[in-house]
Amino acid sequence: MTPADPLVARLRSALGDNAVVDDPDVLDSHRNDHATFCTAGVPRLLVRPSSTADVSEVLKAAGSFGVPVVTQGARTGLSGAANALDGCLLLSTARMNQILEVSVEDQVAVVQPGVVNADLSRAVLEKDLFYPPDPSSWEMSTVGGNIATNAGGLCCVKYGVTSDFVRGLEVVLASGEVVRTGRRSAKGVAGYDLTRLIVGSEGTLGVVTEATLALRPAPEASLTAAATFLSIEEGIAAAAAVMSSGLRPSLLEFLDRPTLRAIQDYRDMGLPADVGSMLIAQSDRGRRAAEDVARIAAICTEHGAVDVAEASDAEESRMLLEARRLVNAALEPLGVTLIDDVAVPRSKLVALLRGIAEIGTKYDVLICCPGHVGDGNMHPTVVFDRDDPDAEARALQAFGAVMELGLSLGGTITGEHGIGKLKRHWLAQELGPVGLRLQREIKAVFDPGNLLNPDKLFL
């Protein structure tokens, strides 16, 4: 890269010198997100706009020179959606990190895309409001990234995913034009729902520069219950009974035997060797939480739980949730993890988990399967030794087999992580030829030059 590069000169003139980076070491450190097995190219530039006007200038310049643009937030994604391709321009939203408004009356927040999820949650809580989407990376991931992948989290079982809380967006198109989608009001059905189209589009249709997000009243105090079972089937049956009981837990998580063994080996949680599954449930209904937890505990006992613990206060609740929060740390010492996120109807969860166990045996790999059992979104995680080429190949085969299994059960290849580069092959299978054609045609309307994240979603 030389100072005479016309694209560099144009962008520095528009955005300032410190907003345009061509240092090879910095570019290398921004090449990829957290996904495993997703290639990343060598970018041409990194730009750090501070405003919608800046983003517009960037996209106009990129279009003039025919340079692809990959938008990045905190790069915590797990599908390679933020990975660079050779010669691209990386557009970081990190400097667009302002919470512009929190309205108690309208129960909305207006934010820029670089706002960290946890920072937003804490800011609105100060006004007794609640922003529910809570991906596990919420202390690092940004609202813009959550919107790009339609992120979920532990509380989806009660509150839904990111798209359920996006009222409206400000988006810069590939042409540099700025469009506002949606609205601030709670209701509005005029025209096509472009807001929902943008959410989950992984930076392929435009660059989100502002979001109007719906909030909820802050939940009351939460209490937690945890139950262990001798088999997968008993744990899944208990989860189904909880969801059919009229209760709406704010969290309902499942851990299978391999995951529990990894957690126990990592930290002594007092889990017996014969434990087959664990169910962790939470109610955030304040004074009624104890009643909810007691009912959930009774349901678990009726379905064969060998041990049930009910929290009586926040500290006990935290301790009961610890096993779920230890999953990633517990799996890390075992090898490289290839994390899936298939989702199936709840009625198919037993078939999914049985099938995953069979896949692990067939390909001789360890597959641990924690997940959000309340909404059927599981995270089968293939663990293997990357220094063993044969193990790596078997892991990739197992990963694909799990996605095929999820589709065969009427499910989806991704419940919250997105497609990115990791799952492009299976997206075509899930959508079918007509659905895939329509999605490609929509992409062409928004981005006729195919410059926005062009190597993502579609093969």
Side-chain angles (χ1 to χ4, degrees):
M1 192 65 61
T2 67
D5 185 307
L7 177 59
V8 173
R10 176 169 171 174
L11 289 172
R12 284 184 172 157
S13 174
L15 275 68
D17 289 347
N18 69 355
V20 183
V21 181
D22 57 9
D23 181 276
D25 291 334
V26 176
L27 295 179
D28 185 66
S29 69
H30 284 75
R31 290 175 59 217
N32 54 273
D33 63 16
H34 288 186
T36 309
F37 293 112
C38 291
T39 58
V42 179
R44 179 174 176 178
L45 287 173
L46 168 68
V47 294
R48 293 169 170 152
S50 299
S51 67
T52 300
D54 285 353
V55 173
S56 178
E57 289 296 327
V58 170
L59 294 188
K60 288 176 182 177
S64 295
F65 289 90
V67 175
V69 177
V70 176
T71 303
Q72 296 182 332
R75 295 178 293 112
T76 58
L78 293 168
S79 67
N83 283 17
L85 67 157
D86 287 339
C88 78
L89 187 156
L90 299 177
L91 191 160
S92 169
T93 61
R95 291 184 177 177
M96 300 179 68
N97 60 0
Q98 300 300 304
I99 299 174
L100 303 174
E101 180 189 359
V102 176
S103 170
V104 175
E105 183 176 9
D106 290 336
Q107 292 192 343
V108 298
V110 181
V111 305
Q112 292 182 312
V115 172
V116 172
N117 183 296
D119 290 342
L120 173 62
S121 294
R122 284 188 280 263
V124 301
L125 186 60
E126 292 178 1
K127 298 191 176 185
D128 293 323
L129 294 170
F130 176 41
Y131 179 63
D134 65 338
S136 59
S137 58
W138 79 310
E139 289 285 3
M140 299 179 290
S141 64
T142 61
V143 170
N146 294 171
I147 289 171
T149 60
N150 200 4
L154 298 181
C155 72
C156 289
V157 63
K158 181 173 183 178
Y159 294 104
V161 295
T162 297
S163 60
D164 296 308
F165 294 89
V166 180
R167 292 265 183 91
L169 296 170
E170 179 184 77
V171 182
V172 181
L173 303 177
S175 62
E177 296 172 286
V178 180
V179 61
R180 284 190 171 271
T181 72
R183 54 203 55 82
R184 184 186 179 101
S185 57
K187 294 178 68 176
V189 295
Y192 295 130
D193 192 345
L194 296 182
T195 302
R196 285 222 173 205
L197 183 61
I198 296 293
V199 177
S201 63
E202 302 185 33
T204 62
L205 301 181
V207 179
V208 173
T209 53
E210 184 180 294
T212 301
L213 306 173
L215 305 175
R216 298 285 183 269
E220 300 177 78
S222 300
L223 289 177
T224 304
T228 55
F229 304 84
L230 294 179
S231 70
I232 284 174
E233 290 81 1
E234 289 170 325
I236 295 297
V242 169
M243 294 303 295
S244 301
S245 68
L247 292 167
R248 252 317 158 256
S250 54
L251 175 152
L252 190 61
E253 294 293 298
F254 178 87
L255 302 172
D256 68 345
R257 184 191 300 273
T259 307
L260 291 165
R261 294 319 310 158
I263 292 169
Q264 179 63 22
D265 291 341
Y266 179 77
R267 181 179 299 173
D268 186 0
M269 302 287 291
L271 298 171
D274 62 349
V275 65
S277 62
M278 175 182 278
L279 201 61
I280 304 173
Q282 188 173 85
S283 170
D284 62 0
R285 297 207 304 159
R287 289 175 295 177
R288 291 172 291 182
E291 176 187 339
D292 290 351
V293 163
R295 288 180 62 190
I296 291 169
I299 290 170
C300 290
T301 300
E302 291 168 7
H303 286 80
V306 294
D307 186 43
V308 182
E310 299 176 48
S312 59
D313 57 33
E315 179 57 23
E316 288 185 4
S317 289
R318 185 196 65 77
M319 292 174 64
L320 292 179
L321 274 172
E322 188 174 10
R324 180 63 179 92
R325 299 194 186 282
L326 284 176
V327 169
N328 291 339
L331 297 183
E332 187 174 342
L334 302 182
V336 176
T337 56
L338 187 54
I339 303 173
D340 212 330
D341 76 314
V342 296
V344 298
R346 287 198 299 267
S347 61
K348 301 296 184 180
L349 279 168
V350 169
L352 176 70
L353 287 156
R354 285 176 177 166
I356 288 169
E358 292 170 1
I359 290 168
T361 300
K362 177 180 179 179
Y363 293 102
D364 190 24
V365 293
L366 173 64
I367 306 180
C368 299
C369 195
H372 316 310
V373 69
D375 56 22
N377 187 186
M378 305 303 287
H379 292 302
T381 303
V382 186
V383 185
F384 63 98
D385 181 359
R386 196 167 208 164
D387 294 330
D388 180 346
D390 182 59
E392 181 176 316
R394 286 185 280 108
L396 287 170
Q397 288 177 303
F399 182 83
V402 169
M403 282 191 284
E404 296 279 356
L405 174 63
L407 289 174
S408 74
L409 295 172
T412 176
I413 58 175
T414 177
E416 56 189 7
H417 293 172
I419 300 298
K421 298 188 72 169
L422 186 62
K423 298 186 175 184
R424 292 178 297 175
H425 171 76
W426 293 276
L427 178 65
Q429 183 175 338
E430 179 169 334
L431 295 179
V434 177
L436 183 63
R437 188 196 78 222
L438 288 172
Q439 297 219 4
R440 289 184 181 278
E441 290 174 352
I442 290 169
K443 162 73 168 168
V445 169
F446 278 78
D447 179 22
N450 194 30
L451 294 179
L452 299 181
N453 229 1
D455 63 337
K456 311 305 186 326
L457 292 183
F458 312 119
L459 284 170

